[in-house]
Amino acid sequence: MTRLGQMIYAAGEKIGREIGMSEGRRKGIEETQRKMNSLINALLSANRTSDCLRAARDEAYREKIMEELGIR
């Protein structure tokens, strides 16, 4: 897992503990984190740094690029 992925995961865990979320919601957050980690790894491995930065800011672009890379 990338350092950014670890940070995202840790933040999600902290929030989950603070609000005492349900198991289903926790699994949803974990799935989202898995997808984001996959996206970040794929883009950085392909030297697509600008796409990685844009995907972090632009939800529509993030969905488009995930579809392009087959991240589901």
Side-chain angles (χ1 to χ4, degrees), residues 18-70:
E18 289 174 356
I19 63 173
M21 71 175 62
S22 70
E23 181 69 14
R25 186 163 183 196
R26 185 186 61 76
K27 285 183 179 184
I29 289 172
E30 287 176 0
E31 178 65 16
T32 299
Q33 290 172 338
R34 183 195 63 76
K35 287 179 177 182
M36 288 299 295
N37 290 341
S38 295
L39 177 63
I40 291 165
N41 283 321
L43 292 174
L44 294 180
S45 294
N47 294 317
R48 294 175 64 178
T49 307
S50 61
D51 285 329
C52 189
L53 291 169
R54 183 174 173 194
R57 293 186 305 265
D58 184 337
E59 184 177 350
Y61 184 73
R62 182 171 51 247
E63 293 298 321
K64 177 183 174 230
I65 206 85
M66 281 184 170
E67 180 71 26
E68 173 190 320
L69 296 172

Side-chain angles (χ1 to χ4, degrees), residues 5-25:
Q6 290 170 343
M7 291 168 58
I8 293 168
Y9 185 83
E13 281 188 325
K14 182 177 184 255
I15 291 168
R17 284 190 303 272
E18 289 174 356
I19 63 173
M21 71 175 62
S22 70
E23 181 69 14
R25 186 163 183 196

